[in-house]
């Protein structure tokens, strides 16, 4: 593999595999830096307890393995969702968080973040936490990628939450932010929101239409209707064990309607991050999804 990477199979519940991966992460029999990227990202799961097993307890297991292996630094990737809906827009890393978190995913990630800060302060590990917005790019099979597919392949009758804002980031920029944070000792103890361009729902759908050459869905269903539909969709998913129609769970509806608009310029100023235009990430995603379809993958 490139860069001398040696994969070690395992899981976040397997402490032995975690320690083995960290011991063999480099040429020395120990690990200087741990980057914790693993997480359960979804707005619906038939077993919601897995959010907590992965995002909270999994974080604790990774940090314990890092401590056991003599790591000095940890970078974790959280999510902007842990801010809920703050009272300021755009908000920054220093903005007080909203009183309510809007999904099981957000609640479990917030718990994992608290575990990380508490664990590292107690045990002397140097921690940096990154909080990406909605991540876009080729190969995305999660909620944002699924919505783009619905638009490009005309599988949805309506766009959704037309006035709700969201701040986006290209997948490569999140990876670059990790690298830059790892190389910059001044990032220790710091939080970084990662994202730059904010689009409202109608603007995002229009951009997907422009870049793909596919007309937008014919309907513009109001927010109250979309939110109401999320309840029977989620109930049906619980009965069938299959994801909700249009990926529209209760948590997804609540999160997307609230939206979020943040200022990710601290990463530019302190880390030197240069953001990729979102239209570039969208073009790459659309091309990738079309190749998937052409190859028989849906």
């Amino acid at each position: 593999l490139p860069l001398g990477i040696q994969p070690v199979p395992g899981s976040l519940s397997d402490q032995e595999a975690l320690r083995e991966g960290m011991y063999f992460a480099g040429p020395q029999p120990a690990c200087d830096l741990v980057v914790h990227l693993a997480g359960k990202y979804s707005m619906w799961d038939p077993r919601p307890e897995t959010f907590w097993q992965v995002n909270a307890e999994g974080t604790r297991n990774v940090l314990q393995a890092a401590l056991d292996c003599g790591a000095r630094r940890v970078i974790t990737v959280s999510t902007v969702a842990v801010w809920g809906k703050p009272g300021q827009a755009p908000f920054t890393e220093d903005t007080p968080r909203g009183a309510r978190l809007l999904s099981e995913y957000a609640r479990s990630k917030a718990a994992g973040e608290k575990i990380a800060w508490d664990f590292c302060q107690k045990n002397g590990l140097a921690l940096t936490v990154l909080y990406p917005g909605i991540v876009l790019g080729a190969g995305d099979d999660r909620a944002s990628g699924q919505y783009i597919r619905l638009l490009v392949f005309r599988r949805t009758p309506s766009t959704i939450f037309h006035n709700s804002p969201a701040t986006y980031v290209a997948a490569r920029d999140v990876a670059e932010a990790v690298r830059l944070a790892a190389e910059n000792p001044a990032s220790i103890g710091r939080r970084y929101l990662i994202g730059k361009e904010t689009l409202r729902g109608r603007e995002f759908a229009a951009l997907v239409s422009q870049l793909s050459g596919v007309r937008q869905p014919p309907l513009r269903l109001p927010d109250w209707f979309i939110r109401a539909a999320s309840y029977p969709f989620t109930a049906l998913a619980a009965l069938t064990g299959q994801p909700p129609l249009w990926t529209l769970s209760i948590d997804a509806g609540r999160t997307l309607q609230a939206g979020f608009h943040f200022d990710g310029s601290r990463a530019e100023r302190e880390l030197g991050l240069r953001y990729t235009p979102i239209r570039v990430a969208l073009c790459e995603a659309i091309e990738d999804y079309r190749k998937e379809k052409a190859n028989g993958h849906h």
Side-chain angles (χ1 to χ4, degrees):
L1 290 175
L3 305 177
I5 294 170
Q6 179 176 341
V8 177
S11 76
L12 293 179
S13 62
D14 186 342
Q15 285 279 10
E16 183 176 349
L18 291 172
R19 286 192 292 267
E20 181 183 356
M22 293 176 194
Y23 272 120
F24 288 97
Q28 303 299 322
C31 181
D32 290 324
L33 168 70
V34 170
V35 178
H36 178 32
L37 292 166
K40 172 71 176 177
Y41 169 48
S42 174
M43 288 290 112
W44 178 86
D45 193 274
R47 296 177 58 246
E49 65 272 15
T50 59
F51 287 108
W52 297 85
Q53 293 166 355
V54 173
N55 295 336
E57 292 308 310
T59 296
R60 191 190 309 277
N61 292 339
V62 167
L63 295 174
Q64 184 60 57
L67 185 67
D68 294 344
C69 293
R72 295 188 292 269
R73 285 199 64 192
V74 177
I75 297 173
T76 69
V77 178
S78 183
T79 170
V80 67
V82 301
W83 261 266
K85 188 171 178 60
Q88 173 184 326
F91 60 90
T92 71
E93 292 85 351
D94 300 320
T95 300
R97 300 186 183 188
R100 181 187 181 201
L101 296 178
L102 303 176
S103 65
E104 201 73 3
Y105 166 68
R107 289 185 286 274
S108 65
K109 288 293 283 187
E113 181 199 5
K114 185 177 187 305
I115 287 169
W117 286 111
D118 290 349
F119 188 100
C120 289
Q121 289 169 5
K122 179 181 177 181
N123 295 285
L125 290 174
L127 177 65
T128 303
V129 183
L130 309 181
Y131 306 86
I134 294 181
V135 181
L136 300 176
D140 180 16
D141 61 356
R142 305 304 174 92
S144 53
Q146 290 166 6
Y147 182 55
I148 296 168
R149 285 181 174 88
L150 290 174
L151 293 173
V152 171
F153 301 131
R154 308 194 72 176
R155 294 173 181 164
T156 179
S158 175
T159 52
I160 58 174
F161 301 120
H162 308 109
N163 294 314
S164 299
T167 304
Y168 294 88
V169 62
R172 65 162 67 91
D173 294 347
V174 181
E176 180 68 358
V178 170
R179 183 187 71 83
L180 291 169
E183 294 177 350
N184 188 345
S187 71
I188 293 171
R190 299 290 277 168
R191 295 174 168 88
Y192 295 95
L193 287 161
I194 307 298
K196 187 176 181 71
E197 294 181 52
T198 299
L199 300 172
R200 296 191 178 274
R202 64 178 180 274
E203 296 168 335
F204 182 80
L207 184 57
V208 172
S209 175
Q210 175 192 342
L211 296 176
S212 66
V214 175
R215 287 197 301 178
Q216 294 188 50
L219 301 180
R220 298 291 183 272
L221 296 175
D223 289 0
W224 67 263
F225 184 92
I226 297 294
R227 281 297 308 277
S230 72
Y231 286 86
F233 289 177
T234 303
L236 181 61
L239 291 174
T240 64
Q242 298 300 311
L245 187 64
W246 305 342
T247 71
L248 185 60
S249 67
I250 294 170
D251 279 2
R254 185 183 296 122
T255 301
L256 291 171
Q257 185 178 26
F260 53 85
H261 178 194
F262 66 78
D263 177 357
S265 62
R266 175 184 286 181
E268 292 180 298
R269 294 191 307 272
E270 297 187 6
L271 302 180
L273 182 62
R274 296 292 177 263
Y275 287 110
T276 301
I278 287 308
R279 62 185 302 116
V280 173
L282 266 178
C283 280
E284 293 172 352
I286 291 166
E287 181 182 359
D288 183 67
Y289 302 152
R290 283 177 163 160
K291 285 180 181 178
E292 285 181 359
K293 186 178 181 183
N295 292 330
H297 303 294
H298 301 286

